């Protein structure tokens, strides 16, 4: 089941993905913009891959890579323009909580994010601290695909307070909200829905909360909160 859950990692192994990455770096990006230093761009891609599912701090990325902040900003814009990453905006509407107002960074290909982070097998990924962020990327890929099937398309946000309480995804469609939490576990527990419950208390108009996990069981966790396997998205 674990290997099924990260099949994208297996797909990223071998020369095929090496070639795809090389083609993207050396041909496609040069057609979008003249990149002064491909090594710098590769280094930035690796630096943001390990930040999958985290709040984007461009100053921190610039400092860790040694790339000037204006250049890092331009490279991030190129990655988003070429559909390699997406910056998920925060959900602003709020009554009492102080919220983080920076975007969350996610890749649009979990296999590529794993490869750039240096994980080429399921075992190496699952034992890493980046595993949760990669699983969140898988969930986002499914939500993104599903949103394309609805007219008008739902908007996808994230929600996080300054105290670290967060909901991974908030889907907004008209005046309806659905809160989605990705949890890298096969056996979801009641404590795993605490942030969903907090969000739904803060925004009682939320239609439902969904906890997406790695197991096989569909389970009602609380009123209007259900746990489902990732593959049932």
């Amino acid at each position: 089941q674990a290997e099924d859950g990260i099949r994208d990692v297996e797909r990223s192994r071998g020369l095929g993905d090496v070639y795809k990455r090389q083609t993207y770096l050396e041909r496609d990006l040069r057609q979008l913009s003249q990149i002064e230093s491909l090594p710098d761009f590769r280094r930035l891609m690796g630096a943001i891959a390990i930040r999958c599912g985290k709040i984007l701090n461009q100053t921190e990325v610039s400092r860790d890579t040694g790339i000037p902040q204006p250049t890092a900003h331009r490279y991030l814009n190129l990655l988003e323009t070429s559909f390699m990453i997406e910056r998920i905006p925060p959900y602003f509407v709020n009554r009492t909580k102080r919220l983080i107002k920076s975007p969350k960074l996610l890749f649009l290909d979990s296999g590529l994010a794993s490869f750039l982070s240096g994980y080429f097998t399921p075992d190496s990924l699952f034992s890493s601290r980046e595993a949760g962020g990669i699983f969140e990327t898988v969930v986002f890929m499914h939500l993104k695909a599903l949103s394309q099937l609805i007219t008008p398309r739902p908007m996808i946000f994230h929600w996080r307070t300054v105290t670290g309480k967060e909901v991974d995804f908030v889907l907004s469609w008209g005046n309806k909200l659905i809160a989605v939490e990705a949890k890298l576990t096969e056996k979801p527990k009641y404590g795993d829905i605490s942030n969903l419950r907090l969000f739904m208390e803060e925004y009682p108009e939320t239609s439902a909360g969904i906890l997406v996990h790695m197991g096989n069981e569909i389970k009602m966790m609380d009123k209007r909160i259900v746990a489902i396997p990732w593959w049932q998205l």
Side-chain angles (χ1 to χ4, degrees):
Q1 179 63 38
E3 290 186 2
D4 289 341
I6 54 171
R7 66 183 186 280
D8 286 327
V9 178
E10 294 288 354
R11 180 165 52 82
S12 70
R13 299 171 66 183
L15 294 177
D17 275 309
V18 173
Y19 174 76
K20 184 172 75 171
R21 181 183 64 165
Q22 190 132 354
T23 300
Y24 171 70
L25 288 170
E26 295 181 359
R27 187 194 66 192
D28 299 343
L29 271 174
R30 286 189 183 276
Q31 292 176 358
L32 288 170
S33 173
Q34 290 298 316
I35 303 296
E36 296 88 352
S37 172
L38 285 178
D40 283 352
F41 197 87
R42 291 190 185 99
R43 191 162 66 251
L44 181 131
M45 287 182 72
I48 63 174
I50 63 175
R51 290 170 166 83
C52 248
K54 293 182 171 58
I55 303 299
L56 177 61
N57 185 326
Q58 290 188 173
T59 301
E60 183 182 85
V61 171
S62 174
R63 183 183 66 242
D64 290 352
T65 58
I67 299 172
Q69 190 164 344
T71 303
H73 176 75
R74 183 162 61 88
Y75 287 174
L76 286 166
N77 285 342
L78 283 172
L79 284 167
E80 190 160 31
T81 300
S82 56
F83 302 103
M84 300 299 290
I85 66 170
E86 188 158 333
R87 285 174 277 197
I88 309 302
Y91 188 70
F92 278 115
V93 181
N94 181 253
R95 294 183 176 85
T96 60
K97 299 284 188 301
R98 293 181 59 202
L99 299 180
I100 296 292
K101 297 183 179 180
S102 298
K104 177 190 286 193
L105 174 75
L106 286 163
F107 269 71
L108 291 173
D109 186 326
S110 58
L112 179 62
S114 301
F115 183 83
L116 291 170
S117 300
Y119 304 114
F120 311 133
T121 66
D123 288 343
S124 66
L125 175 58
F126 268 106
S127 61
S128 73
R129 64 181 181 181
E130 285 79 28
I134 299 298
F135 180 61
E136 192 173 321
T137 299
V138 172
V139 173
F140 173 68
M141 288 162 56
H142 284 281
L143 293 176
K144 185 77 173 175
L146 287 169
S147 70
Q148 308 301 307
L149 304 176
I150 302 172
T151 303
R153 293 176 181 173
M155 298 184 66
I156 303 178
F157 301 92
H158 77 90
W159 182 80
R160 182 182 174 92
T161 70
V162 293
T163 59
K165 305 295 184 182
E166 65 177 327
V167 169
D168 293 326
F169 305 106
V170 177
L171 278 66
S172 174
W173 191 71
N175 61 353
K176 297 180 180 179
L177 299 175
I178 293 179
V180 181
E181 183 79 4
K183 197 72 174 178
L184 191 65
T185 180
E186 293 185 358
K187 297 185 180 300
K189 302 184 293 293
Y190 185 74
D192 294 331
I193 65 169
S194 58
N195 289 345
L196 287 172
R197 293 175 64 243
L198 178 66
F199 180 86
M200 294 173 74
E201 289 170 5
E202 186 73 12
Y203 303 99
E205 66 272 26
T206 304
S207 299
I210 301 175
L211 178 69
V212 184
H213 60 89
M214 287 286 294
N216 293 305
E217 184 181 10
I218 300 174
K219 183 179 179 181
M220 287 301 301
M221 305 293 292
D222 201 353
K223 183 180 180 181
R224 294 184 294 137
I225 299 179
V226 62
I228 65 170
W230 70 270
W231 45 267
Q232 290 219 328
L233 281 175

